[in-house]
């Protein structure tokens, strides 16, 4: 499986299972996730979101996934995914995704981000290290 395919799979799993009762949380005191107060949208429709994360340890691959909504809060657009390193150090994450121009416009928006590990085993299941929802301002890039 390619890294891009794994990231997309992880991002999709995180978004679909965010509220699932069977998904486990393994947050430790050192796990944290932030979302920057501003995101950007380029004229070609490329949306970029960013922030920081820290996680202490993992046994499987870990990803930062993100989604953004604007106007209709029921419609979220998954925005990329970043492979994460759980070494206890604060890291930056940046997710970008090219969407149809006009999908997101400058102004207020809402971001949901997850720091999620795929458990090892016959069926990789999401383990959420941190979840962050935040209102942001989208600016033209």
């Amino acid at each position: 499986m390619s890294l891009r395919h794994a990231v997309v799979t992880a991002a999709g799993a995180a978004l679909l299972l965010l509220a699932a009762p069977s998904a486990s949380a393994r947050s430790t005191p050192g796990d944290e996730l932030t979302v920057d107060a501003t995101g950007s949208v380029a004229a070609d429709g490329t949306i970029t979101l960013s922030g920081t994360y820290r996680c202490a340890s993992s046994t499987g691959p870990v990803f930062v996934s993100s989604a953004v909504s604007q106007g209709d809060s029921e419609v979220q657009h998954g925005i990329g995914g970043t492979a994460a390193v759980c070494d206890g150090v604060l890291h930056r994450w940046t997710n970008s995704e090219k969407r149809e121009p006009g999908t997101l416009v400058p102004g207020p928006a809402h971001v949901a981000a997850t720091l999620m590990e795929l458990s090892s085993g016959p069926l990789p299941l999401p383990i959420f290290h941190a979840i962050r929802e935040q209102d942001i301002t989208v600016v033209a890039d």
Side-chain angles (χ1 to χ4, degrees), residues 89-141:
V89 175
L90 189 65
H91 296 275
R92 295 265 327 141
W93 64 269
T94 301
N95 291 345
S96 292
E97 187 88 22
K98 187 172 181 179
R99 297 289 178 150
E100 189 69 30
T103 299
L104 195 67
V105 297
H110 186 78
V111 172
T114 61
L115 179 60
M116 190 227 21
E117 176 179 350
L118 289 178
S119 67
S120 57
L123 179 61
L125 297 173
I127 300 169
F128 295 98
H129 287 259
I131 299 170
R132 177 73 179 205
E133 290 202 35
Q134 181 173 320
D135 291 330
I136 67 163
T137 300
V138 175
V139 297
D141 191 18

Side-chain angles (χ1 to χ4, degrees), residues 4 7-12 15 47 49 63-67 77-83 93-99:
R4 178 163 175 79
V7 168
V8 169
T9 300
L15 293 174
I47 301 165
L49 304 172
F63 304 93
V64 177
S65 62
S66 58
H77 304 280
I79 306 300
T82 301
W93 64 269
T94 301
N95 291 345
S96 292
E97 187 88 22
K98 187 172 181 179
R99 297 289 178 150

Side-chain angles (χ1 to χ4, degrees), residues 29-111:
D31 292 348
E32 65 182 80
L33 178 64
T34 69
V35 175
D36 290 343
T38 59
S40 67
V41 61
D44 70 354
T46 300
I47 301 165
T48 302
L49 304 172
S50 58
T52 62
Y53 74 90
R54 178 190 334 253
C55 52
S57 66
S58 66
T59 58
V62 180
F63 304 93
V64 177
S65 62
S66 58
V68 64
S69 60
Q70 192 173 51
D72 183 358
S73 62
E74 297 296 314
V75 178
Q76 290 190 341
H77 304 280
I79 306 300
T82 301
V85 178
C86 289
D87 58 3
V89 175
L90 189 65
H91 296 275
R92 295 265 327 141
W93 64 269
T94 301
N95 291 345
S96 292
E97 187 88 22
K98 187 172 181 179
R99 297 289 178 150
E100 189 69 30
T103 299
L104 195 67
V105 297
H110 186 78
V111 172

